[in-house]
Amino acid sequence: MVLQMDSKHSAKKPTIADVAALAGVSVAAVSQVISGKGRISSWTAQIVKDAINELGYVRNHNASTLRSGKTNLIGIVLHNISDNFCAELLDGVSGELEANGKIPLFIQYGKDGASLENRIDLFLHLNVDGIILITPYDVSDDLYIRLSNTPTAYISRNCHYNKKHHIGPNYFNAVETATEHLIKHGHRNIAFIGGEKDSYSRAERIGGFFSALISYDVIPHNEWIIDCPNNQRIAAEKTSNLLTHNPQITAILAYDEMTANGAIHGIQQAGKSVGKDNYIARQIALLCLENIPDTAITNLTCIDFSLKEIGMRAAQDLIQQLESHPGQPNNTVPKLILRDSA
DNA sequence: TAAGCGACGCCATCTTGGCT
DNA sequence: AGCCAAGATGGCGTCGCTTA
């Protein structure tokens, strides 16, 4: 019987009370040593630390959660971790959370909304302190209601900037900046290639494009705005066709990296080359509306949406909510990365 | 005034005891 | 036997008090 009790006792994890008993101090004193708060002499602190080492004591996270009401867990729900958009955002989000003592947990969901709601419910059952939702789409009103009692920051590709705690790439400003750059370098005949017709973010990009053209008194040509699926071959065909029938075009804005790569081939098929020199009428300036890393083979001028920075700002917004100082995340300013193509 | 301690509260889950 | 309310349990953080 005694042996059984001893065996059972030895298997039990040491608690703060065990540490206190071994150190000859109160539980409160041990707690203060562990947290670094309160007034404890260095002599007592050292005795407590020795007792902790001797027993192999580790603070019980569940008990700490019970007392403080905080888990320090932050649930990150994202669409697809292998997607560059999500990966870059996640880099910023997790870095900022860890720097503030939070534990990021992430989970991905499929395309169906039910799966997204299941993932969110899972985090709510885990009693996370807050949630960061990274989604390609705008969030439904039902989901907003479901998350209304949980501090949440939203990042999405197509976001409505008037919604609270919502941040995302500012496509309008990005394309406005890119178009201005081309106009300032003498281009008046600029085409826009790429994106699906029903895409919200494409509409936003075209809005920025038109805004820049109009503010510089450049006449927009609707027939030079070409939609295109995410397919390099089709982008090449459409670019070649456009340039063959409209030789006055001197610059192209490409929707994304795939479109830009297709456009390079299309420009060559039309008997021209990619470059900044629009005076000899044989070079087409090409500007990609998506960040292309320096390591890429092509040397394209492009727009950097600062996705890592967006992730950091969303995490900062969530931390402010947790500290009961809710603000509103400021959107990042897209940067133009100048290279050889435009 | 520094150092240390007791008591309380957190809250989901389990146990106990009383009642029908 | 079944149900329900009340109490106990787990480990920890912190307020406010006591002691030297």
Side-chain angles (χ1 to χ4, degrees), chain A residues 195-207:
Chain A
E196 305 272 7
K197 264 184 179 167
D198 58 353
S199 160
Y200 181 91
S201 63
R202 180 176 184 267
E204 212 178 307
R205 285 168 162 93
I206 290 172

Side-chain angles (χ1 to χ4, degrees), chain A residues 75-91 93-94 105-111 115-116 119-120 123 131-137 155:
Chain A
I76 304 166
V77 188
L78 46 84
H79 181 245
N80 181 359
I81 194 171
S82 62
D83 179 58
N84 282 344
F85 178 81
C86 287
E88 208 174 322
L89 285 170
L90 191 59
D91 187 21
V93 167
S94 57
L105 303 175
F106 62 86
I107 192 167
Q108 56 180 354
Y109 69 96
K111 287 184 177 176
S115 178
L116 169 61
R119 300 299 192 270
I120 286 172
F123 277 142
I131 287 176
I132 293 179
L133 180 55
I134 303 174
T135 164
Y137 321 106
I155 307 174

Side-chain angles (χ1 to χ4, degrees), chain A residues 54-70:
Chain A
E54 189 173 331
L55 292 172
Y57 167 77
V58 178
R59 179 191 263 176
N60 186 314
H61 184 255
N62 287 340
S64 175
T65 297
L66 178 65
R67 175 63 185 88
S68 64
K70 293 177 183 173

Side-chain angles (χ1 to χ4, degrees), chain A residues 26-67:
Chain A
S26 70
V27 167
V30 176
S31 175
Q32 286 172 9
V33 171
I34 294 168
S35 65
K37 297 172 184 171
R39 288 177 298 188
I40 296 289
S41 69
S42 56
W43 171 253
T44 304
Q46 190 55 52
I47 291 172
V48 169
K49 285 172 186 171
D50 289 346
I52 287 171
N53 289 335
E54 189 173 331
L55 292 172
Y57 167 77
V58 178
R59 179 191 263 176
N60 186 314
H61 184 255
N62 287 340
S64 175
T65 297
L66 178 65
R67 175 63 185 88

Side-chain angles (χ1 to χ4, degrees), chain A residues 161 168-181 201 203-209 211-212 287 289 303-305 330-336:
Chain A
Y161 301 114
N170 192 329
Y171 296 117
F172 187 98
N173 281 358
V175 180
E176 207 174 30
T177 303
T179 309
E180 269 184 27
H181 169 77
S201 63
E204 212 178 307
R205 285 168 162 93
I206 290 172
F209 178 51
S211 170
L287 199 155
L289 303 174
I303 288 284
D304 179 5
F305 288 104
N330 296 318
N331 253 317
T332 55
V333 178
K335 299 184 201 93
L336 193 61

Side-chain angles (χ1 to χ4, degrees), chain A residues 189-236:
Chain A
N189 299 317
I190 306 168
F192 182 106
I193 293 181
E196 305 272 7
K197 264 184 179 167
D198 58 353
S199 160
Y200 181 91
S201 63
R202 180 176 184 267
E204 212 178 307
R205 285 168 162 93
I206 290 172
F209 178 51
F210 271 52
S211 170
L213 292 179
I214 290 165
S215 51
Y216 283 86
D217 294 327
V218 177
I219 298 166
H221 293 260
N222 281 324
E223 67 275 20
W224 293 354
I225 298 172
I226 310 292
D227 64 289
C228 180
N230 193 26
N231 181 300
Q232 202 168 314
R233 185 182 55 78
I234 297 174

Side-chain angles (χ1 to χ4, degrees), chain A residues 9 16 18-19 40 43 50 56 60 73 83 86 94 105-106 127 136 147 151 154 220 234 248 251 268 273 286 325 341:
Chain A
H9 185 261
I16 196 169
D18 296 328
V19 175
I40 296 289
W43 171 253
D50 289 346
N60 186 314
L73 300 175
D83 179 58
C86 287
S94 57
L105 303 175
F106 62 86
N127 198 26
L147 290 169
Y154 302 88
I234 297 174
Q248 68 272 45
Q268 290 165 352
S273 62
L286 182 61
H325 302 302
S341 72

